[in-house]
Amino acid sequence: MRIVVLAGGIGGARFLRGLLAAAPEAEITVIGNTGDDIHLFGLKVCPDLDTVMYTLGGGIHEEQGWGRADETFTVKEELAAYGVGPEWFGLGDRDFATHIVRTQMLAAGYPLSAVTEALCARWKPGVRLIPMSDDRVETHVLVETDGERKAIHFQEYWVRLRAAVPAHAVVPVGAEAAKPAPGVLEAIAAADVIVFPPSNPVVSIGTILAVPGVREAIAEAGVPVVGLSPIVGDAPVRGMADKVLAAVGVESTAAAVAAHYGSGLLDGWLVDTVDEGAVPQIEAAGIRCRAIPLLMTDLDATTRMAREALALAEEVRA
Ligand code: GDP
Ligand code: CA
């Protein structure tokens, strides 16, 4: 079975662990979000690709959910001693090595997809990880501070400001001119099932869908497209997805996120048992829906979620 997953960082990566356990024989292609990418200290940092790579490769800081385990911060301290920031983005020494290798390869002319493949040769994530595009796409958020509106990089909004300022729009800058990376459209066309993990619907999956051709390819693939809600009990399980959903005019409910993807794209949707009451409404909108426990508390729970997603896909296919 060939499974394609559109993934952001933590939510996508943790789900993928369960999917690998639920479908060990499957060929899994992960299309990773690169809208979060940022240039820091002259280095190209790809937070979502790295979270997937480190999580599946056994290098992740488990409790934090991003960055490396057993990390030290000597380089960061030395940069701070020179007065060189930003100090709000936590890059550890081990992590720095990844960004140095990536930046060096990009400078040598390799596209990001080839660089990602090279990095994965070390981490062996057990999936094929492809960035959504080799072209630069950067998510910006239109915020209001001191009565003035300005667009800032997503990481500045998310990490520095903790999404605590009003946001009016989320713009994947560069997306309209970006091409899907080699292998992206091919993987979608060859897929038996397409899965939207519980990743951020706006700045993770939404950004991938904004690359011209991706949404169309998924809609036209003619295979089940199933998703799992990142919103449980009207709030994100983790993080501040409610803030970016509000910025694009979507309520923070499992039903509203399903409607946001729409029945033209999504065939099946899993909501948490606490949101069971929303099932009839989602089904009335033309999306097959089931309520099951959706908290990725451990590998067993996550594996059950992945199994349910695959079962829902078969139900939709039948
Ligand atoms: P990011 O790029 O690191 O922000 O990660 P993603 O976009 O892949 O996923 C973020 C989303 O994962 C958040 O909106 C969370 O609500 C969701 N999430 C995190 N843990 C869980 C969980 O255990 N269950 C569900 N259903 N969603 C989760
Ligand atoms: Ca992210």
Side-chain angles (χ1 to χ4, degrees):
M1 183 166 48
R2 283 181 286 232
I3 307 174
V4 166
V5 180
L6 269 49
I10 300 179
R14 289 195 170 157
F15 173 78
L16 283 164
R17 272 186 173 160
L19 186 63
L20 278 162
E25 304 301 322
E27 201 180 290
I28 302 172
T29 301
V30 177
I31 300 173
N33 171 43
T34 56
D36 291 17
D37 293 6
I38 185 167
H39 286 80
L40 294 168
F41 316 110
L43 301 175
K44 168 92 163 171
V45 180
C46 302
D48 284 1
L49 294 180
D50 289 349
T51 295
V52 170
M53 190 173 77
Y54 294 157
T55 300
L56 301 183
I60 200 78
H61 185 302
E62 289 290 344
E63 296 74 42
Q64 198 168 253
W66 53 270
R68 293 288 312 276
D70 304 318
E71 191 55 289
T72 52
F73 291 88
T74 307
V75 174
K76 191 181 181 197
E77 284 159 26
E78 289 295 314
L79 287 165
Y82 284 110
V84 173
E87 72 301 321
W88 47 265
F89 203 89
L91 289 185
D93 300 329
R94 292 181 189 278
D95 203 15
F96 259 113
T98 303
H99 312 315
I100 290 168
V101 173
R102 173 184 293 124
T103 307
Q104 193 177 28
M105 286 189 73
L106 288 169
Y110 290 97
L112 183 62
S113 50
V115 174
T116 305
E117 198 180 329
L119 294 171
C120 284
R122 171 185 174 192
W123 291 102
K124 300 180 177 55
V127 300
R128 177 165 180 227
L129 175 62
I130 321 180
M132 64 189 200
S133 178
D134 281 334
D135 301 321
R136 184 164 167 173
V137 178
E138 234 173 53
T139 302
H140 286 208
V141 182
L142 185 64
V143 296
E144 195 163 314
T145 45
D146 308 322
E148 218 181 306
R149 285 191 183 195
K150 60 171 181 178
I152 58 174
H153 191 286
F154 171 72
Q155 297 296 356
E156 190 177 355
Y157 169 73
W158 200 250
V159 180
R160 184 169 83 85
L161 301 173
R162 308 294 308 156
V165 295
H168 298 283
V170 179
V171 186
V173 177
E176 65 292 338
K179 289 181 296 299
V184 167
L185 297 182
E186 292 83 349
I188 293 170
D192 298 305
V193 180
I194 298 168
V195 182
F196 294 179
S199 281
N200 190 307
V202 181
V203 293
S204 292
I205 296 178
T207 310
I208 301 169
L209 293 172
V211 176
V214 172
R215 177 187 288 272
E216 296 76 3
I218 293 172
E220 288 162 12
V223 296
V225 180
V226 296
L228 301 94
S229 179
I231 303 294
V232 169
D234 301 345
V237 176
R238 193 189 156 113
M240 304 148 300
D242 51 324
K243 298 294 197 305
V244 284
L245 280 165
V248 300
V250 177
E251 251 184 274
S252 278
T253 65
V257 173
H260 175 62
Y261 287 131
S263 60
L265 192 65
L266 200 61
D267 303 306
W269 187 238
L270 293 175
V271 302
D272 189 82
T273 42
V274 302
D275 298 311
E276 193 153 20
V279 172
Q281 181 193 346
I282 294 164
E283 295 224 307
I287 297 166
R288 193 77 62 95
C289 185
R290 296 283 174 271
I292 61 150
L294 280 193
L295 294 183
M296 300 188 280
T297 42
D298 55 31
L299 182 60
D300 282 349
T302 312
T303 305
R304 281 193 290 275
M305 286 166 55
R307 276 202 200 102
E308 294 281 359
L310 296 176
L312 183 61
E314 291 318 312
E315 203 184 311
V316 168
R317 197 197 308 274

